[in-house]
Amino acid sequence: MDERRKHRRIDDQLVVTFRFPDGLRVETTGILRDISAGGIRVEIPARVVKGDMVDLDVWILSDIIPLKAQGKVAWVKREVLSPDEPETGQYTVGIEFCPLEEFQKERLLDYLKSKMRQP
């Protein structure tokens, strides 16, 4: 795999809520698999395509208020869960953050620093 990452990724498992600004799809929840200052990798049950815009709530465990961000789907990998039902599946999705509001950016960076200090 071509490694072009600008930011160090931190493996984690957090809940992420997705909202779609197009209004055509319902809100869905996924599991974050890794996070960096530039984006996230998340598993979701909803179909998305590269280029989709999403509004995100990332539920950082130590906070009662989610980290709010907007992002753009950078890539999608689909996994069929049942050969008998090929329309069902799980999607592993790379989301690139759009520029974060300063407060949200500080919260994200504080979280990443705290995770990097852990053994």
Side-chain angles (χ1 to χ4, degrees), residues 54-112:
V54 292
D55 293 326
L56 306 166
D57 287 345
V58 180
W59 293 91
I60 295 172
L61 298 177
S62 60
D63 290 348
I64 59 171
I65 299 172
L67 174 77
K68 295 195 172 285
Q70 291 185 318
K72 184 175 183 179
V73 175
W75 55 268
V76 178
K77 179 181 170 190
R78 181 171 183 253
E79 299 173 40
V80 176
L81 300 178
S82 169
D84 298 332
E85 300 178 57
E87 69 281 355
T88 65
Q90 185 77 16
Y91 297 85
T92 302
V93 181
I95 306 285
E96 180 181 356
F97 291 137
C98 295
L100 296 171
E101 293 178 10
E102 195 58 36
F103 174 69
Q104 300 296 346
K105 184 177 180 179
E106 287 175 17
R107 290 180 66 209
L108 175 59
L109 294 176
D110 287 346
Y111 176 73
L112 294 172

Short mmCIF file of all heavy atoms in Angstrom, two decimals, residues 54-112:
data_model
loop_
_atom_site.label_atom_id
_atom_site.label_comp_id
_atom_site.label_asym_id
_atom_site.label_seq_id
_atom_site.Cartn_x
_atom_site.Cartn_y
_atom_site.Cartn_z
N VAL A 54 -20.03 14.13 4.77
CA VAL A 54 -20.71 13.62 5.97
C VAL A 54 -20.46 14.57 7.13
O VAL A 54 -19.43 15.22 7.21
CB VAL A 54 -20.23 12.19 6.34
CG1 VAL A 54 -20.68 11.18 5.30
CG2 VAL A 54 -18.72 12.13 6.51
N ASP A 55 -21.44 14.64 8.02
CA ASP A 55 -21.29 15.33 9.30
C ASP A 55 -21.06 14.24 10.34
O ASP A 55 -21.78 13.24 10.37
CB ASP A 55 -22.54 16.13 9.64
CG ASP A 55 -22.77 17.29 8.68
OD1 ASP A 55 -21.77 17.88 8.21
OD2 ASP A 55 -23.93 17.60 8.39
N LEU A 56 -20.06 14.42 11.19
CA LEU A 56 -19.64 13.40 12.13
C LEU A 56 -19.73 13.86 13.57
O LEU A 56 -19.42 15.01 13.87
CB LEU A 56 -18.18 13.01 11.87
CG LEU A 56 -17.81 12.58 10.46
CD1 LEU A 56 -16.30 12.56 10.29
CD2 LEU A 56 -18.40 11.23 10.16
N ASP A 57 -20.15 12.95 14.43
CA ASP A 57 -20.01 13.09 15.88
C ASP A 57 -19.13 11.94 16.32
O ASP A 57 -19.52 10.77 16.20
CB ASP A 57 -21.35 12.99 16.60
CG ASP A 57 -22.24 14.21 16.40
OD1 ASP A 57 -21.73 15.25 15.94
OD2 ASP A 57 -23.44 14.10 16.70
N VAL A 58 -17.93 12.25 16.81
CA VAL A 58 -17.01 11.23 17.29
C VAL A 58 -17.09 11.25 18.81
O VAL A 58 -16.78 12.26 19.44
CB VAL A 58 -15.56 11.50 16.81
CG1 VAL A 58 -14.62 10.43 17.34
CG2 VAL A 58 -15.50 11.59 15.29
N TRP A 59 -17.52 10.13 19.38
CA TRP A 59 -17.76 10.06 20.82
C TRP A 59 -16.48 9.63 21.54
O TRP A 59 -16.23 8.45 21.74
CB TRP A 59 -18.92 9.12 21.11
CG TRP A 59 -20.19 9.69 20.59
CD1 TRP A 59 -20.75 9.49 19.35
CD2 TRP A 59 -21.04 10.62 21.24
NE1 TRP A 59 -21.89 10.23 19.22
CE2 TRP A 59 -22.10 10.92 20.36
CE3 TRP A 59 -21.01 11.22 22.50
CZ2 TRP A 59 -23.12 11.80 20.70
CZ3 TRP A 59 -22.03 12.09 22.84
CH2 TRP A 59 -23.07 12.37 21.95
N ILE A 60 -15.67 10.62 21.90
CA ILE A 60 -14.45 10.39 22.66
C ILE A 60 -14.86 10.00 24.08
O ILE A 60 -15.67 10.68 24.72
CB ILE A 60 -13.56 11.65 22.64
CG1 ILE A 60 -13.10 11.90 21.19
CG2 ILE A 60 -12.39 11.50 23.59
CD1 ILE A 60 -12.37 13.21 21.01
N LEU A 61 -14.31 8.91 24.56
CA LEU A 61 -14.77 8.31 25.82
C LEU A 61 -14.72 9.24 27.02
O LEU A 61 -15.56 9.18 27.89
CB LEU A 61 -13.98 7.04 26.11
CG LEU A 61 -14.14 5.94 25.05
CD1 LEU A 61 -13.27 4.75 25.40
CD2 LEU A 61 -15.59 5.52 24.92
N SER A 62 -13.74 10.10 27.07
CA SER A 62 -13.59 10.96 28.24
C SER A 62 -14.49 12.20 28.20
O SER A 62 -14.54 12.94 29.17
CB SER A 62 -12.13 11.40 28.39
OG SER A 62 -11.73 12.12 27.23
N ASP A 63 -15.19 12.41 27.12
CA ASP A 63 -16.02 13.61 26.96
C ASP A 63 -17.50 13.26 26.92
O ASP A 63 -17.88 12.22 26.40
CB ASP A 63 -15.66 14.35 25.67
CG ASP A 63 -14.30 15.01 25.73
OD1 ASP A 63 -13.72 15.10 26.82
OD2 ASP A 63 -13.81 15.43 24.67
N ILE A 64 -18.33 14.16 27.42
CA ILE A 64 -19.77 13.95 27.34
C ILE A 64 -20.36 14.62 26.10
O ILE A 64 -21.50 14.39 25.76
CB ILE A 64 -20.49 14.45 28.61
CG1 ILE A 64 -20.22 15.93 28.85
CG2 ILE A 64 -20.09 13.62 29.82
CD1 ILE A 64 -21.06 16.54 29.95
N ILE A 65 -19.55 15.43 25.44
CA ILE A 65 -19.97 16.10 24.20
C ILE A 65 -19.11 15.53 23.07
O ILE A 65 -17.88 15.47 23.20
CB ILE A 65 -19.77 17.62 24.31
CG1 ILE A 65 -20.62 18.18 25.44
CG2 ILE A 65 -20.12 18.30 22.99
CD1 ILE A 65 -20.34 19.64 25.75
N PRO A 66 -19.71 15.12 21.96
CA PRO A 66 -18.91 14.53 20.89
C PRO A 66 -18.04 15.57 20.18
O PRO A 66 -18.37 16.76 20.15
CB PRO A 66 -19.95 13.96 19.94
CG PRO A 66 -21.14 14.85 20.13
CD PRO A 66 -21.13 15.20 21.60
N LEU A 67 -16.97 15.09 19.59
CA LEU A 67 -16.18 15.90 18.69
C LEU A 67 -16.98 16.03 17.41
O LEU A 67 -17.41 15.04 16.83
CB LEU A 67 -14.84 15.21 18.41
CG LEU A 67 -13.96 15.87 17.37
CD1 LEU A 67 -13.28 17.09 17.98
CD2 LEU A 67 -12.94 14.90 16.84
N LYS A 68 -17.23 17.26 16.98
CA LYS A 68 -18.04 17.48 15.78
C LYS A 68 -17.12 17.86 14.62
O LYS A 68 -16.24 18.70 14.77
CB LYS A 68 -19.07 18.57 16.02
CG LYS A 68 -20.09 18.17 17.06
CD LYS A 68 -21.28 19.07 17.04
CE LYS A 68 -22.39 18.56 17.92
NZ LYS A 68 -23.11 17.44 17.39
N ALA A 69 -17.35 17.20 13.48
CA ALA A 69 -16.51 17.44 12.31
C ALA A 69 -17.33 17.20 11.04
O ALA A 69 -18.34 16.51 11.06
CB ALA A 69 -15.30 16.52 12.32
N GLN A 70 -16.86 17.79 9.97
CA GLN A 70 -17.37 17.48 8.65
C GLN A 70 -16.24 16.77 7.92
O GLN A 70 -15.06 17.04 8.17
CB GLN A 70 -17.77 18.73 7.90
CG GLN A 70 -18.99 19.40 8.47
CD GLN A 70 -19.42 20.58 7.62
OE1 GLN A 70 -18.59 21.35 7.16
NE2 GLN A 70 -20.70 20.71 7.41
N GLY A 71 -16.61 15.86 7.03
CA GLY A 71 -15.58 15.15 6.30
C GLY A 71 -16.05 14.75 4.92
O GLY A 71 -17.23 14.87 4.58
N LYS A 72 -15.08 14.26 4.16
CA LYS A 72 -15.33 13.80 2.81
C LYS A 72 -14.84 12.36 2.70
O LYS A 72 -13.73 12.05 3.15
CB LYS A 72 -14.58 14.68 1.81
CG LYS A 72 -14.85 14.36 0.37
CD LYS A 72 -14.15 15.36 -0.52
CE LYS A 72 -14.47 15.10 -1.97
NZ LYS A 72 -13.82 16.10 -2.85
N VAL A 73 -15.67 11.49 2.14
CA VAL A 73 -15.29 10.09 1.97
C VAL A 73 -14.14 10.02 0.97
O VAL A 73 -14.28 10.44 -0.18
CB VAL A 73 -16.49 9.24 1.51
CG1 VAL A 73 -16.06 7.81 1.23
CG2 VAL A 73 -17.61 9.28 2.55
N ALA A 74 -12.99 9.50 1.44
CA ALA A 74 -11.80 9.40 0.59
C ALA A 74 -11.71 8.05 -0.11
O ALA A 74 -11.21 7.95 -1.23
CB ALA A 74 -10.54 9.64 1.42
N TRP A 75 -12.20 7.01 0.56
CA TRP A 75 -12.19 5.66 -0.02
C TRP A 75 -13.21 4.79 0.71
O TRP A 75 -13.60 5.07 1.83
CB TRP A 75 -10.80 5.02 0.02
CG TRP A 75 -10.17 4.95 1.38
CD1 TRP A 75 -9.34 5.87 1.95
CD2 TRP A 75 -10.34 3.92 2.37
NE1 TRP A 75 -8.98 5.48 3.22
CE2 TRP A 75 -9.57 4.27 3.50
CE3 TRP A 75 -11.06 2.73 2.40
CZ2 TRP A 75 -9.51 3.48 4.64
CZ3 TRP A 75 -10.99 1.95 3.55
CH2 TRP A 75 -10.22 2.32 4.64
N VAL A 76 -13.63 3.70 0.03
CA VAL A 76 -14.62 2.78 0.58
C VAL A 76 -14.21 1.35 0.23
O VAL A 76 -13.84 1.07 -0.91
CB VAL A 76 -16.03 3.04 0.00
CG1 VAL A 76 -17.05 2.05 0.54
CG2 VAL A 76 -16.48 4.47 0.22
N LYS A 77 -14.30 0.47 1.21
CA LYS A 77 -14.08 -0.96 0.98
C LYS A 77 -15.32 -1.69 1.52
O LYS A 77 -15.67 -1.53 2.69
CB LYS A 77 -12.82 -1.44 1.71
CG LYS A 77 -12.57 -2.92 1.55
CD LYS A 77 -11.32 -3.32 2.32
CE LYS A 77 -11.21 -4.83 2.35
NZ LYS A 77 -10.17 -5.27 3.28
N ARG A 78 -15.97 -2.47 0.67
CA ARG A 78 -17.19 -3.17 1.08
C ARG A 78 -16.87 -4.62 1.41
O ARG A 78 -16.13 -5.28 0.69
CB ARG A 78 -18.23 -3.12 -0.04
CG ARG A 78 -19.52 -3.80 0.33
CD ARG A 78 -20.59 -3.55 -0.72
NE ARG A 78 -21.83 -4.14 -0.30
CZ ARG A 78 -22.34 -5.24 -0.85
NH1 ARG A 78 -21.73 -5.83 -1.85
NH2 ARG A 78 -23.47 -5.73 -0.40
N GLU A 79 -17.47 -5.11 2.49
CA GLU A 79 -17.34 -6.50 2.88
C GLU A 79 -18.73 -7.11 2.92
O GLU A 79 -19.60 -6.63 3.64
CB GLU A 79 -16.69 -6.62 4.25
CG GLU A 79 -15.29 -6.03 4.31
CD GLU A 79 -14.75 -6.01 5.72
OE1 GLU A 79 -14.98 -6.98 6.46
OE2 GLU A 79 -14.13 -5.00 6.08
N VAL A 80 -18.95 -8.16 2.13
CA VAL A 80 -20.23 -8.87 2.14
C VAL A 80 -20.24 -9.79 3.35
O VAL A 80 -19.32 -10.59 3.53
CB VAL A 80 -20.44 -9.66 0.84
CG1 VAL A 80 -21.72 -10.48 0.91
CG2 VAL A 80 -20.46 -8.72 -0.36
N LEU A 81 -21.24 -9.66 4.19
CA LEU A 81 -21.31 -10.45 5.42
C LEU A 81 -21.95 -11.81 5.20
O LEU A 81 -21.66 -12.76 5.92
CB LEU A 81 -22.06 -9.68 6.50
CG LEU A 81 -21.44 -8.33 6.90
CD1 LEU A 81 -22.28 -7.65 7.95
CD2 LEU A 81 -20.02 -8.52 7.41
N SER A 82 -22.83 -11.91 4.20
CA SER A 82 -23.51 -13.17 3.94
C SER A 82 -23.60 -13.40 2.44
O SER A 82 -24.20 -12.60 1.72
CB SER A 82 -24.91 -13.15 4.54
OG SER A 82 -25.67 -14.25 4.08
N PRO A 83 -23.02 -14.51 1.93
CA PRO A 83 -23.11 -14.80 0.49
C PRO A 83 -24.56 -14.96 0.02
O PRO A 83 -24.86 -14.73 -1.14
CB PRO A 83 -22.34 -16.11 0.31
CG PRO A 83 -21.56 -16.29 1.56
CD PRO A 83 -22.23 -15.50 2.64
N ASP A 84 -25.45 -15.36 0.94
CA ASP A 84 -26.86 -15.53 0.60
C ASP A 84 -27.59 -14.20 0.46
O ASP A 84 -28.68 -14.15 -0.10
CB ASP A 84 -27.56 -16.40 1.65
CG ASP A 84 -26.98 -17.80 1.72
OD1 ASP A 84 -26.46 -18.27 0.69
OD2 ASP A 84 -27.02 -18.39 2.81
N GLU A 85 -27.01 -13.15 1.04
CA GLU A 85 -27.62 -11.82 0.98
C GLU A 85 -26.56 -10.80 0.55
O GLU A 85 -26.08 -10.01 1.36
CB GLU A 85 -28.20 -11.44 2.35
CG GLU A 85 -29.26 -12.39 2.85
CD GLU A 85 -29.77 -11.99 4.22
OE1 GLU A 85 -30.24 -10.85 4.35
OE2 GLU A 85 -29.67 -12.82 5.13
N PRO A 86 -26.19 -10.79 -0.73
CA PRO A 86 -25.10 -9.92 -1.18
C PRO A 86 -25.38 -8.43 -1.04
O PRO A 86 -24.46 -7.62 -1.05
CB PRO A 86 -24.91 -10.31 -2.65
CG PRO A 86 -26.18 -10.98 -3.05
CD PRO A 86 -26.74 -11.59 -1.79
N GLU A 87 -26.65 -8.07 -0.88
CA GLU A 87 -26.96 -6.64 -0.71
C GLU A 87 -26.63 -6.14 0.69
O GLU A 87 -26.55 -4.95 0.94
CB GLU A 87 -28.43 -6.34 -1.05
CG GLU A 87 -29.44 -6.89 -0.07
CD GLU A 87 -29.74 -8.39 -0.25
OE1 GLU A 87 -29.24 -9.01 -1.19
OE2 GLU A 87 -30.49 -8.93 0.59
N THR A 88 -26.44 -7.08 1.63
CA THR A 88 -26.06 -6.69 2.98
C THR A 88 -24.54 -6.60 3.04
O THR A 88 -23.84 -7.21 2.26
CB THR A 88 -26.56 -7.70 4.03
OG1 THR A 88 -25.90 -8.95 3.81
CG2 THR A 88 -28.05 -7.86 3.97
N GLY A 89 -24.06 -5.84 3.98
CA GLY A 89 -22.62 -5.76 4.11
C GLY A 89 -22.20 -4.69 5.08
O GLY A 89 -23.01 -3.93 5.61
N GLN A 90 -20.92 -4.65 5.27
CA GLN A 90 -20.28 -3.68 6.14
C GLN A 90 -19.33 -2.88 5.26
O GLN A 90 -18.70 -3.45 4.37
CB GLN A 90 -19.51 -4.42 7.24
CG GLN A 90 -18.90 -3.55 8.28
CD GLN A 90 -19.92 -3.05 9.29
OE1 GLN A 90 -21.03 -3.55 9.41
NE2 GLN A 90 -19.55 -2.05 10.02
N TYR A 91 -19.20 -1.61 5.53
CA TYR A 91 -18.32 -0.76 4.74
C TYR A 91 -17.22 -0.21 5.64
O TYR A 91 -17.51 0.34 6.70
CB TYR A 91 -19.10 0.40 4.12
CG TYR A 91 -20.15 -0.07 3.14
CD1 TYR A 91 -21.42 -0.45 3.58
CD2 TYR A 91 -19.87 -0.15 1.79
CE1 TYR A 91 -22.38 -0.90 2.69
CE2 TYR A 91 -20.83 -0.59 0.89
CZ TYR A 91 -22.08 -0.97 1.35
OH TYR A 91 -23.02 -1.42 0.47
N THR A 92 -15.98 -0.39 5.23
CA THR A 92 -14.86 0.26 5.89
C THR A 92 -14.57 1.50 5.07
O THR A 92 -14.37 1.41 3.85
CB THR A 92 -13.64 -0.67 5.95
OG1 THR A 92 -14.02 -1.86 6.64
CG2 THR A 92 -12.49 0.00 6.69
N VAL A 93 -14.55 2.64 5.73
CA VAL A 93 -14.55 3.92 5.03
C VAL A 93 -13.44 4.82 5.58
O VAL A 93 -13.27 4.93 6.80
CB VAL A 93 -15.92 4.64 5.22
CG1 VAL A 93 -15.95 5.96 4.49
CG2 VAL A 93 -17.05 3.73 4.76
N GLY A 94 -12.71 5.46 4.69
CA GLY A 94 -11.75 6.48 5.08
C GLY A 94 -12.38 7.84 4.91
O GLY A 94 -12.89 8.17 3.83
N ILE A 95 -12.37 8.63 5.96
CA ILE A 95 -12.96 9.97 5.94
C ILE A 95 -11.86 10.99 6.17
O ILE A 95 -11.13 10.91 7.16
CB ILE A 95 -14.02 10.15 7.05
CG1 ILE A 95 -15.08 9.06 7.01
CG2 ILE A 95 -14.62 11.56 7.00
CD1 ILE A 95 -16.09 9.19 5.92
N GLU A 96 -11.74 11.93 5.27
CA GLU A 96 -10.80 13.04 5.45
C GLU A 96 -11.56 14.21 6.06
O GLU A 96 -12.59 14.63 5.53
CB GLU A 96 -10.21 13.45 4.10
CG GLU A 96 -9.23 14.58 4.18
CD GLU A 96 -8.67 14.98 2.83
OE1 GLU A 96 -8.99 14.34 1.81
OE2 GLU A 96 -7.93 15.96 2.79
N PHE A 97 -11.04 14.71 7.19
CA PHE A 97 -11.70 15.85 7.82
C PHE A 97 -11.61 17.08 6.94
O PHE A 97 -10.57 17.36 6.34
CB PHE A 97 -11.04 16.20 9.16
CG PHE A 97 -11.25 15.19 10.26
CD1 PHE A 97 -10.19 14.84 11.08
CD2 PHE A 97 -12.48 14.62 10.48
CE1 PHE A 97 -10.35 13.92 12.11
CE2 PHE A 97 -12.67 13.69 11.51
CZ PHE A 97 -11.60 13.35 12.31
N CYS A 98 -12.71 17.84 6.87
CA CYS A 98 -12.67 19.20 6.33
C CYS A 98 -12.04 20.06 7.43
O CYS A 98 -11.96 19.61 8.58
CB CYS A 98 -14.08 19.68 6.01
SG CYS A 98 -14.87 18.72 4.69
N PRO A 99 -11.58 21.25 7.12
CA PRO A 99 -10.99 22.07 8.18
C PRO A 99 -11.91 22.14 9.40
O PRO A 99 -13.09 22.45 9.28
CB PRO A 99 -10.80 23.43 7.52
CG PRO A 99 -10.63 23.10 6.07
CD PRO A 99 -11.56 21.93 5.83
N LEU A 100 -11.33 21.83 10.56
CA LEU A 100 -12.10 21.81 11.81
C LEU A 100 -12.16 23.21 12.41
O LEU A 100 -11.23 24.00 12.26
CB LEU A 100 -11.42 20.88 12.82
CG LEU A 100 -11.35 19.40 12.46
CD1 LEU A 100 -10.46 18.67 13.46
CD2 LEU A 100 -12.73 18.78 12.44
N GLU A 101 -13.26 23.47 13.13
CA GLU A 101 -13.33 24.70 13.92
C GLU A 101 -12.22 24.63 14.96
O GLU A 101 -11.85 23.54 15.41
CB GLU A 101 -14.69 24.82 14.61
CG GLU A 101 -15.83 25.01 13.65
CD GLU A 101 -17.17 25.08 14.37
OE1 GLU A 101 -17.19 25.17 15.62
OE2 GLU A 101 -18.20 25.04 13.68
N GLU A 102 -11.68 25.75 15.36
CA GLU A 102 -10.51 25.78 16.25
C GLU A 102 -10.74 24.98 17.54
O GLU A 102 -9.86 24.21 17.96
CB GLU A 102 -10.13 27.23 16.57
CG GLU A 102 -8.76 27.38 17.16
CD GLU A 102 -7.63 26.83 16.29
OE1 GLU A 102 -7.68 26.94 15.05
OE2 GLU A 102 -6.68 26.27 16.87
N PHE A 103 -11.90 25.14 18.15
CA PHE A 103 -12.19 24.42 19.39
C PHE A 103 -12.16 22.90 19.17
O PHE A 103 -11.61 22.15 19.97
CB PHE A 103 -13.54 24.87 19.96
CG PHE A 103 -13.99 24.09 21.16
CD1 PHE A 103 -13.31 24.20 22.37
CD2 PHE A 103 -15.07 23.23 21.08
CE1 PHE A 103 -13.72 23.48 23.49
CE2 PHE A 103 -15.49 22.51 22.19
CZ PHE A 103 -14.81 22.63 23.39
N GLN A 104 -12.78 22.45 18.08
CA GLN A 104 -12.82 21.02 17.77
C GLN A 104 -11.42 20.50 17.44
O GLN A 104 -11.04 19.40 17.84
CB GLN A 104 -13.79 20.74 16.62
CG GLN A 104 -15.20 21.16 16.87
CD GLN A 104 -15.88 20.42 18.02
OE1 GLN A 104 -15.42 19.39 18.50
NE2 GLN A 104 -17.00 20.95 18.49
N LYS A 105 -10.64 21.32 16.75
CA LYS A 105 -9.27 20.93 16.41
C LYS A 105 -8.43 20.75 17.67
O LYS A 105 -7.69 19.78 17.80
CB LYS A 105 -8.64 21.99 15.50
CG LYS A 105 -7.26 21.65 15.02
CD LYS A 105 -6.77 22.73 14.07
CE LYS A 105 -5.38 22.43 13.56
NZ LYS A 105 -4.91 23.45 12.62
N GLU A 106 -8.57 21.67 18.62
CA GLU A 106 -7.84 21.57 19.88
C GLU A 106 -8.25 20.32 20.66
O GLU A 106 -7.40 19.62 21.22
CB GLU A 106 -8.09 22.82 20.74
CG GLU A 106 -7.39 24.05 20.22
CD GLU A 106 -7.75 25.31 21.02
OE1 GLU A 106 -8.28 25.18 22.15
OE2 GLU A 106 -7.50 26.40 20.50
N ARG A 107 -9.53 20.03 20.68
CA ARG A 107 -10.02 18.82 21.37
C ARG A 107 -9.43 17.56 20.73
O ARG A 107 -9.00 16.64 21.43
CB ARG A 107 -11.55 18.74 21.30
CG ARG A 107 -12.24 19.78 22.15
CD ARG A 107 -13.74 19.67 22.06
NE ARG A 107 -14.18 18.41 22.66
CZ ARG A 107 -15.28 17.76 22.27
NH1 ARG A 107 -16.04 18.23 21.31
NH2 ARG A 107 -15.62 16.63 22.85
N LEU A 108 -9.43 17.52 19.40
CA LEU A 108 -8.88 16.37 18.69
C LEU A 108 -7.40 16.21 18.98
O LEU A 108 -6.93 15.11 19.31
CB LEU A 108 -9.12 16.51 17.18
CG LEU A 108 -8.48 15.43 16.31
CD1 LEU A 108 -8.98 14.04 16.69
CD2 LEU A 108 -8.72 15.72 14.84
N LEU A 109 -6.64 17.29 18.88
CA LEU A 109 -5.20 17.21 19.13
C LEU A 109 -4.89 16.81 20.57
O LEU A 109 -3.97 16.02 20.82
CB LEU A 109 -4.52 18.53 18.76
CG LEU A 109 -4.55 18.88 17.27
CD1 LEU A 109 -3.94 20.25 17.02
CD2 LEU A 109 -3.88 17.81 16.42
N ASP A 110 -5.66 17.33 21.53
CA ASP A 110 -5.48 16.93 22.93
C ASP A 110 -5.73 15.43 23.10
O ASP A 110 -4.99 14.73 23.80
CB ASP A 110 -6.41 17.71 23.86
CG ASP A 110 -6.00 19.16 24.05
OD1 ASP A 110 -4.86 19.51 23.69
OD2 ASP A 110 -6.83 19.94 24.55
N TYR A 111 -6.77 14.93 22.46
CA TYR A 111 -7.09 13.51 22.53
C TYR A 111 -5.97 12.66 21.93
O TYR A 111 -5.52 11.67 22.53
CB TYR A 111 -8.41 13.23 21.83
CG TYR A 111 -8.76 11.77 21.79
CD1 TYR A 111 -9.18 11.11 22.94
CD2 TYR A 111 -8.64 11.04 20.62
CE1 TYR A 111 -9.48 9.77 22.92
CE2 TYR A 111 -8.95 9.70 20.58
CZ TYR A 111 -9.36 9.07 21.74
OH TYR A 111 -9.65 7.74 21.72
N LEU A 112 -5.49 13.06 20.76
CA LEU A 112 -4.42 12.31 20.10
C LEU A 112 -3.15 12.30 20.93
O LEU A 112 -2.50 11.26 21.08
CB LEU A 112 -4.16 12.88 18.69
CG LEU A 112 -5.30 12.72 17.69
CD1 LEU A 112 -4.98 13.50 16.42
CD2 LEU A 112 -5.57 11.25 17.39
#
